[in-house]
Amino acid sequence: MLFIGAVLVLAVAAAVLVPLLTRESGTEQPRTTLVIPEGWRATQVYAADDKALDQPAGTTAKAAKAADLPLPAEAKGNPEGYLFPATYPVTSTTTPKSLLRYMVDTAVEHFGADHITAGARRNDVTVYQTVTIAAIVQAEADTEADMGKVARVIHNRLDREMPLQMDSTLNYAMNRSTLDTTTGDTKIDSPYNSYEHKGLPPTPIGNPGEQAMTAAISPTPGPWLYFVTVAPGDTRFTDDYAEQQRNVAEFNRNRRG
């Protein structure tokens, strides 16, 4: 098994965006706020939206399918990756549709910035693919400082037409979050199985923040093809497979201990 990384980073975006009330009633004050952390999957965002809006479970997920959100054509109507992490005010007039629309509008505004589009062109990928890369970076990097190196591993493997072999994509396919990946897991039948399929997964695997996007467009220069977080704060990057295997063995010893 070629173990690449681990799902560890989950940052919270603390900035409060322009209140939804400015787009709705114009006068009503927020009754609460909804914090969407960086890296959350759409399913987690939907559940949090339902709770904040006091709606039955599944309401926001249904709204997402019918909301006609302003997503790029590549997304095929799936807002994964475009539910921008931030703190959102919620009023009595906020609806699942209006909340989703504001999250997506905000993502489109951020991801459409000149430096993002220029970075995507420089890396010979689309902005949507850049969001997909950033989502993997968000899930895999142990620290913010590691994000640029993780992004470089992704780009290096794509350039060499190597499968990404990222455990975070398996976790997404299996709707879980774990550090333990088995050989059987790497054989599952899913387009998100980056052990079996080359290239990027069909959609982002979460909703990345600013730091992950920055890493995706400006990865740290380096030859690395592998990495593993041996222990918290200790991620080893290498382009040597034998060295990677030694690092993985150390990771496994630490897990058993």
Side-chain angles (χ1 to χ4, degrees), residues 216-230:
I217 61 171
S218 300
T220 305
W224 313 293
L225 294 172
Y226 314 97
F227 68 90
V228 60
T229 299
V230 173

PDB file of all heavy atoms in Angstrom, residues 216-230:
ATOM      1  N   ALA A 216      -2.608  25.875  -3.812  1.00  0.00           N
ATOM      2  CA  ALA A 216      -2.944  25.206  -5.066  1.00  0.00           C
ATOM      3  C   ALA A 216      -2.450  25.978  -6.285  1.00  0.00           C
ATOM      4  O   ALA A 216      -2.036  25.377  -7.286  1.00  0.00           O
ATOM      5  CB  ALA A 216      -4.453  24.994  -5.161  1.00  0.00           C
ATOM      6  N   ILE A 217      -2.490  27.309  -6.208  1.00  0.00           N
ATOM      7  CA  ILE A 217      -2.045  28.100  -7.362  1.00  0.00           C
ATOM      8  C   ILE A 217      -0.550  28.395  -7.324  1.00  0.00           C
ATOM      9  O   ILE A 217       0.059  28.644  -8.363  1.00  0.00           O
ATOM     10  CB  ILE A 217      -2.831  29.427  -7.491  1.00  0.00           C
ATOM     11  CG1 ILE A 217      -2.633  30.317  -6.263  1.00  0.00           C
ATOM     12  CG2 ILE A 217      -4.297  29.156  -7.755  1.00  0.00           C
ATOM     13  CD1 ILE A 217      -3.206  31.708  -6.413  1.00  0.00           C
ATOM     14  N   SER A 218       0.041  28.338  -6.131  1.00  0.00           N
ATOM     15  CA  SER A 218       1.471  28.640  -5.986  1.00  0.00           C
ATOM     16  C   SER A 218       2.150  27.592  -5.128  1.00  0.00           C
ATOM     17  O   SER A 218       2.622  27.871  -4.010  1.00  0.00           O
ATOM     18  CB  SER A 218       1.672  30.033  -5.377  1.00  0.00           C
ATOM     19  OG  SER A 218       1.097  31.028  -6.194  1.00  0.00           O
ATOM     20  N   PRO A 219       2.221  26.347  -5.610  1.00  0.00           N
ATOM     21  CA  PRO A 219       2.831  25.287  -4.805  1.00  0.00           C
ATOM     22  C   PRO A 219       4.317  25.539  -4.566  1.00  0.00           C
ATOM     23  O   PRO A 219       4.995  26.162  -5.386  1.00  0.00           O
ATOM     24  CB  PRO A 219       2.613  24.028  -5.658  1.00  0.00           C
ATOM     25  CG  PRO A 219       2.412  24.532  -7.046  1.00  0.00           C
ATOM     26  CD  PRO A 219       1.741  25.857  -6.917  1.00  0.00           C
ATOM     27  N   THR A 220       4.799  25.056  -3.447  1.00  0.00           N
ATOM     28  CA  THR A 220       6.214  25.198  -3.100  1.00  0.00           C
ATOM     29  C   THR A 220       7.073  24.434  -4.116  1.00  0.00           C
ATOM     30  O   THR A 220       6.775  23.281  -4.421  1.00  0.00           O
ATOM     31  CB  THR A 220       6.467  24.629  -1.696  1.00  0.00           C
ATOM     32  OG1 THR A 220       5.576  25.264  -0.781  1.00  0.00           O
ATOM     33  CG2 THR A 220       7.903  24.850  -1.262  1.00  0.00           C
ATOM     34  N   PRO A 221       8.112  25.053  -4.655  1.00  0.00           N
ATOM     35  CA  PRO A 221       8.987  24.324  -5.588  1.00  0.00           C
ATOM     36  C   PRO A 221       9.636  23.115  -4.911  1.00  0.00           C
ATOM     37  O   PRO A 221      10.082  23.203  -3.763  1.00  0.00           O
ATOM     38  CB  PRO A 221      10.037  25.372  -5.972  1.00  0.00           C
ATOM     39  CG  PRO A 221       9.400  26.693  -5.694  1.00  0.00           C
ATOM     40  CD  PRO A 221       8.523  26.458  -4.485  1.00  0.00           C
ATOM     41  N   GLY A 222       9.674  22.005  -5.604  1.00  0.00           N
ATOM     42  CA  GLY A 222      10.305  20.812  -5.054  1.00  0.00           C
ATOM     43  C   GLY A 222      10.000  19.592  -5.897  1.00  0.00           C
ATOM     44  O   GLY A 222       9.041  19.580  -6.674  1.00  0.00           O
ATOM     45  N   PRO A 223      10.772  18.514  -5.745  1.00  0.00           N
ATOM     46  CA  PRO A 223      10.632  17.309  -6.571  1.00  0.00           C
ATOM     47  C   PRO A 223       9.713  16.246  -5.967  1.00  0.00           C
ATOM     48  O   PRO A 223       9.567  15.166  -6.520  1.00  0.00           O
ATOM     49  CB  PRO A 223      12.063  16.783  -6.627  1.00  0.00           C
ATOM     50  CG  PRO A 223      12.605  17.120  -5.260  1.00  0.00           C
ATOM     51  CD  PRO A 223      11.983  18.448  -4.886  1.00  0.00           C
ATOM     52  N   TRP A 224       9.084  16.529  -4.824  1.00  0.00           N
ATOM     53  CA  TRP A 224       8.428  15.501  -4.030  1.00  0.00           C
ATOM     54  C   TRP A 224       7.305  14.780  -4.790  1.00  0.00           C
ATOM     55  O   TRP A 224       6.525  15.392  -5.513  1.00  0.00           O
ATOM     56  CB  TRP A 224       7.860  16.120  -2.754  1.00  0.00           C
ATOM     57  CG  TRP A 224       8.837  17.002  -2.064  1.00  0.00           C
ATOM     58  CD1 TRP A 224      10.006  16.645  -1.454  1.00  0.00           C
ATOM     59  CD2 TRP A 224       8.750  18.431  -1.948  1.00  0.00           C
ATOM     60  NE1 TRP A 224      10.648  17.746  -0.948  1.00  0.00           N
ATOM     61  CE2 TRP A 224       9.906  18.867  -1.234  1.00  0.00           C
ATOM     62  CE3 TRP A 224       7.811  19.393  -2.351  1.00  0.00           C
ATOM     63  CZ2 TRP A 224      10.150  20.196  -0.935  1.00  0.00           C
ATOM     64  CZ3 TRP A 224       8.053  20.719  -2.062  1.00  0.00           C
ATOM     65  CH2 TRP A 224       9.202  21.114  -1.367  1.00  0.00           C
ATOM     66  N   LEU A 225       7.221  13.485  -4.530  1.00  0.00           N
ATOM     67  CA  LEU A 225       6.154  12.658  -5.093  1.00  0.00           C
ATOM     68  C   LEU A 225       5.357  11.933  -4.013  1.00  0.00           C
ATOM     69  O   LEU A 225       4.299  11.375  -4.301  1.00  0.00           O
ATOM     70  CB  LEU A 225       6.744  11.612  -6.050  1.00  0.00           C
ATOM     71  CG  LEU A 225       7.405  12.146  -7.314  1.00  0.00           C
ATOM     72  CD1 LEU A 225       8.098  11.016  -8.057  1.00  0.00           C
ATOM     73  CD2 LEU A 225       6.384  12.833  -8.222  1.00  0.00           C
ATOM     74  N   TYR A 226       5.865  11.937  -2.796  1.00  0.00           N
ATOM     75  CA  TYR A 226       5.248  11.200  -1.690  1.00  0.00           C
ATOM     76  C   TYR A 226       5.295  12.042  -0.422  1.00  0.00           C
ATOM     77  O   TYR A 226       6.173  12.893  -0.254  1.00  0.00           O
ATOM     78  CB  TYR A 226       5.996   9.882  -1.405  1.00  0.00           C
ATOM     79  CG  TYR A 226       6.330   9.066  -2.618  1.00  0.00           C
ATOM     80  CD1 TYR A 226       7.592   9.147  -3.206  1.00  0.00           C
ATOM     81  CD2 TYR A 226       5.397   8.194  -3.176  1.00  0.00           C
ATOM     82  CE1 TYR A 226       7.919   8.390  -4.320  1.00  0.00           C
ATOM     83  CE2 TYR A 226       5.706   7.434  -4.291  1.00  0.00           C
ATOM     84  CZ  TYR A 226       6.964   7.535  -4.863  1.00  0.00           C
ATOM     85  OH  TYR A 226       7.286   6.792  -5.969  1.00  0.00           O
ATOM     86  N   PHE A 227       4.365  11.756   0.481  1.00  0.00           N
ATOM     87  CA  PHE A 227       4.468  12.319   1.825  1.00  0.00           C
ATOM     88  C   PHE A 227       3.640  11.476   2.772  1.00  0.00           C
ATOM     89  O   PHE A 227       2.714  10.765   2.375  1.00  0.00           O
ATOM     90  CB  PHE A 227       4.014  13.786   1.878  1.00  0.00           C
ATOM     91  CG  PHE A 227       2.540  14.009   1.635  1.00  0.00           C
ATOM     92  CD1 PHE A 227       1.626  14.003   2.687  1.00  0.00           C
ATOM     93  CD2 PHE A 227       2.065  14.256   0.362  1.00  0.00           C
ATOM     94  CE1 PHE A 227       0.274  14.228   2.459  1.00  0.00           C
ATOM     95  CE2 PHE A 227       0.721  14.482   0.117  1.00  0.00           C
ATOM     96  CZ  PHE A 227      -0.181  14.466   1.173  1.00  0.00           C
ATOM     97  N   VAL A 228       3.995  11.548   4.026  1.00  0.00           N
ATOM     98  CA  VAL A 228       3.209  10.903   5.074  1.00  0.00           C
ATOM     99  C   VAL A 228       3.437  11.677   6.361  1.00  0.00           C
ATOM    100  O   VAL A 228       4.558  12.115   6.646  1.00  0.00           O
ATOM    101  CB  VAL A 228       3.589   9.416   5.254  1.00  0.00           C
ATOM    102  CG1 VAL A 228       5.040   9.240   5.637  1.00  0.00           C
ATOM    103  CG2 VAL A 228       2.675   8.753   6.293  1.00  0.00           C
ATOM    104  N   THR A 229       2.358  11.883   7.113  1.00  0.00           N
ATOM    105  CA  THR A 229       2.462  12.533   8.414  1.00  0.00           C
ATOM    106  C   THR A 229       2.777  11.463   9.442  1.00  0.00           C
ATOM    107  O   THR A 229       1.902  10.710   9.864  1.00  0.00           O
ATOM    108  CB  THR A 229       1.156  13.278   8.755  1.00  0.00           C
ATOM    109  OG1 THR A 229       0.923  14.278   7.766  1.00  0.00           O
ATOM    110  CG2 THR A 229       1.247  13.936  10.123  1.00  0.00           C
ATOM    111  N   VAL A 230       4.025  11.369   9.803  1.00  0.00           N
ATOM    112  CA  VAL A 230       4.511  10.322  10.703  1.00  0.00           C
ATOM    113  C   VAL A 230       3.950  10.522  12.111  1.00  0.00           C
ATOM    114  O   VAL A 230       3.604   9.565  12.808  1.00  0.00           O
ATOM    115  CB  VAL A 230       6.052  10.320  10.714  1.00  0.00           C
ATOM    116  CG1 VAL A 230       6.588   9.350  11.761  1.00  0.00           C
ATOM    117  CG2 VAL A 230       6.582   9.950   9.338  1.00  0.00           C
TER     118      VAL A 230
END
